[in-house]
């Protein structure tokens, strides 16, 4: 790959790190410190499917917002959901 080549709509430097439009390297924020994530990222992080995530959004168990056509899930609501699931699993066994 050539230096500065576009990959998935983002310019990549020679070390394959995404860079911003002004040439600076983009910072990667650890998942736990992010405010939001996409549906696909939430699926990967939780192991749940897209349908289940949309059900949890519909019932209010996950907090989500829409920016344009992009649906973003608040990471803190994922942690709250998974924390509650862990407590329920411990209590039932």
């Amino acid at each position: 790959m050539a230096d500065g080549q576009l990959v998935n709509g983002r310019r990549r430097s020679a070390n394959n790190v995404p860079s911003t439009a002004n040439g600076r390297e983009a910072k990667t924020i650890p998942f736990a410190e992010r405010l939001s994530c996409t549906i696909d990222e939430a699926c990967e992080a939780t192991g749940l499917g897209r349908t289940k995530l949309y059900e949890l959004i519909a019932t209010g168990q996950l907090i989500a917002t829409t920016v344009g056509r992009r649906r973003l899930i608040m990471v803190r609501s994922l942690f709250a959901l998974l924390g509650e699931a862990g407590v329920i699993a411990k209590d039932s066994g």
Side-chain angles (χ1 to χ4, degrees):
M1 169 182 351
D3 189 26
Q5 182 178 358
L6 281 177
V7 176
N8 294 331
R10 298 195 84 179
R11 200 160 294 287
R12 298 257 177 184
S13 64
N15 60 0
N16 206 26
V17 175
S19 62
T20 61
N22 62 6
R24 294 184 187 166
E25 289 185 359
K27 293 182 181 177
T28 303
I29 300 172
F31 190 81
E33 295 177 15
R34 295 175 59 181
L35 296 176
S36 64
C37 66
T38 64
I39 295 289
D40 288 339
E41 291 168 334
C43 288
E44 187 177 328
T46 62
L48 299 173
R50 295 176 65 86
T51 303
K52 186 61 177 179
L53 288 177
Y54 281 113
E55 288 174 4
L56 293 168
I57 291 168
T59 60
Q61 292 177 279
L62 280 180
I63 301 168
T65 188
T66 304
V67 179
R69 293 183 54 157
R70 189 174 185 156
R71 178 71 60 110
L72 298 173
I73 296 176
M74 299 297 118
V75 172
R76 71 179 187 277
S77 70
L78 282 174
F79 285 126
L81 175 74
L82 296 175
E84 291 172 11
V87 170
I88 292 169
K90 287 179 186 176
D91 290 343
S92 65

